Amino acid sequence: MHELILGSASPRRQELLNKMGFEFRVEVKETEEIVPDSLPAESVAEAIALKKSEAFGNLPEAHTLITADTVVVLEDSILGKPVDTEDALSMLLKLQGNWHVVFTAVVIRTNKQTISFTDSARVHILPMTEEEIKNYLRKDQPFDKAGSYGVQDWLGINFIDAMEGSFFTVMGLPTARLFAELKKLLGQ
């Protein structure tokens, strides 16, 4: 029997992997999400996803580990998870009215091989008032989300008017690519 482990506390990733039809258990290892400043923005999510995977050490036979990370990039600036309400407000004030890119990286690892990939999507958020942003922050508290928003939340539903790429990549897991890789790996 093959055991699938999701190395993520994200309820969104758990929901998506479940909806993909996989049985798995969740296990999270504390990882410092620090990368060199010289790393290009499009490589940051994959570097962090690899760190999360390496935190598990050697994997037993017949175990497959999935780790992931998502970053939001606006004009070469990485917007990670906000540190507090003011940080979240600042991020959303920058994002509103603009296009940005979301990078979600996935690492799939067994005791024999490692597969990693990054998917991206461009997202446009309509202009918002500061009061609308503050109400969103109070209501949805998106403090565990890169860029301070969830595509599936009130903000995403009401203010994302255009997207190039996968909705699920923006949500935190590029499901179609992950499904194809897992099918190949697990021989299904």
Side-chain angles (χ1 to χ4, degrees):
M1 180 77 182
H2 204 91
E3 184 166 13
L4 191 59
I5 304 160
L6 176 62
S8 175
S10 165
R12 292 156 302 281
R13 289 190 183 112
Q14 293 169 29
E15 173 191 357
L16 290 173
L17 193 57
N18 188 43
K19 285 184 175 180
M20 289 170 69
F22 292 103
E23 289 187 23
F24 61 95
R25 70 180 168 87
V26 174
E27 186 178 336
V28 180
K29 302 279 186 185
E30 225 20 71
T31 310
E32 274 199 5
E33 297 186 14
I34 299 169
V35 295
D37 289 340
S38 60
L39 200 61
E42 63 272 11
S43 303
V44 169
E46 195 162 327
I48 293 171
L50 281 163
K51 281 182 149 195
K52 290 176 180 179
S53 181
E54 291 162 0
F56 282 80
N58 293 329
L59 294 173
E61 187 82 29
H63 283 66
T64 299
L65 171 67
I66 299 168
T67 56
D69 193 69
T70 300
V71 297
V72 171
V73 179
L74 176 67
E75 299 168 358
D76 293 326
S77 291
I78 295 171
L79 306 179
K81 295 173 186 165
V83 293
D84 56 24
T85 304
E86 285 303 310
D87 192 30
L89 177 63
S90 172
M91 285 185 201
L92 292 174
L93 285 169
K94 289 176 191 167
L95 290 172
Q96 61 88 31
N98 289 305
W99 282 92
H100 63 275
V101 181
V102 177
F103 293 98
T104 296
V106 176
V107 175
I108 307 165
R109 189 164 63 88
T110 67
N111 67 336
K112 292 186 175 80
Q113 66 176 318
T114 300
I115 300 163
S116 64
F117 61 88
T118 299
D119 195 48
S120 66
R122 288 185 72 228
V123 179
H124 185 264
I125 298 178
L126 291 169
M128 301 166 61
T129 67
E130 190 167 325
E131 195 54 41
E132 287 169 328
I133 294 171
K134 286 178 178 177
N135 285 337
Y136 169 66
L137 294 175
R138 271 193 298 276
K139 182 178 164 284
D140 285 350
Q141 301 189 351
F143 305 112
D144 64 335
K145 296 175 175 80
S148 303
Y149 78 91
V151 67
Q152 71 284 356
D153 291 348
W154 179 86
L155 182 148
I157 291 166
N158 292 301
F159 290 94
I160 292 177
D161 68 330
M163 185 181 301
E164 297 169 3
S166 168
F167 174 90
F168 300 108
T169 292
V170 180
M171 196 168 161
L173 203 62
T175 52
R177 175 87 185 265
L178 176 59
F179 186 78
E181 295 291 351
L182 284 173
K183 248 174 54 169
K184 274 192 295 190
L185 184 71
L186 303 175
Q188 296 179 344

